Amino acid sequence: MSDTMTLTGVVATAPRHITTNAGLDITSFRLASSQRRFDRERQKWVETDTNWYTVTGFRQLAQNMAASIEQGQRVVVSGRVRIRPWENAERSGTTIEIEADALGHDLGWGTAVWARVSPAGSASGPGAGSGSVGGGAGDTWVHDALAAGLEPAGGLRDPQHGQGVPDAREPAMASTAAEEPVDAGLPF
């Protein structure tokens, strides 16, 4: 029996993609997941503790993760949980690993454009290919064309790896129309 969990958070490290000698694609990254609550006394949103996870995807999911996910983006991930203790000469701790079954951008924080890709070696036709625009060597990947110009802002620190985590809560692109705040009558 395996435990399954769904998480939301910020991609804390640049996704690392490898292909093993046996041809297995693997992509992994660290995920920072913080809870936020509205502090009524200070009249602003505050973050509580951050939980850190290592997210890993295999095969076609790994290829799609490598082409779609970047450091600083907010994502939703669902997968099997493994909790493992670790230690080195100076300290010890616990690593929580998520073997992803599904992963995508968190649309509560931004927009995304989905493009269907077929695994390498499958039949050609609409939606087939490697995910590139134009289908030839040296062409631009769909993800690169869509994500051009999006830059994450500064943020959290991963205590296990000591790396900074960009904060994707800042809008990546300014809105062209001025919007009035809407009071939905919610208690927060």
Side-chain angles (χ1 to χ4, degrees), residues 25-177:
D25 286 303
I26 304 171
T27 300
S28 65
F29 62 87
R30 297 279 288 160
L31 180 77
S33 180
S34 298
Q35 297 296 316
R36 298 182 77 212
R37 65 176 181 80
F38 190 76
D39 185 335
R40 291 180 188 221
E41 289 179 16
R42 296 191 299 184
Q43 291 295 304
K44 69 177 192 174
W45 286 94
V46 295
E47 289 194 14
T48 59
D49 295 329
T50 300
N51 292 320
W52 295 92
Y53 304 91
T54 299
V55 177
T56 305
F58 296 93
R59 298 172 190 79
Q60 186 64 47
L61 178 59
Q63 292 176 12
N64 294 345
M65 287 168 60
S68 303
I69 304 299
E70 293 180 2
Q71 184 176 2
Q73 294 177 338
R74 293 190 71 82
V75 295
V76 178
V77 61
S78 180
R80 291 177 294 282
V81 179
R82 288 191 195 133
I83 301 173
R84 299 181 181 196
W86 60 269
E87 62 182 68
N88 61 27
E90 299 156 7
R91 55 190 176 149
S92 63
T94 302
T95 296
I96 303 173
E97 300 173 355
I98 308 295
E99 184 179 324
D101 293 322
L103 186 139
H105 290 100
D106 186 344
L107 299 181
W109 294 86
T111 62
V113 177
W114 184 78
R116 182 180 201 113
V117 294
S118 298
S122 62
S124 62
S130 62
S132 64
V133 177
D139 288 330
T140 304
W141 280 83
V142 172
H143 176 266
D144 294 340
L146 297 174
L150 300 179
E151 298 263 338
L156 309 168
R157 294 196 75 65
D158 182 342
Q160 186 173 348
H161 291 88
Q163 297 171 325
V165 180
D167 187 350
R169 288 175 297 181
E170 299 296 323
M173 299 176 4
S175 173
T176 56

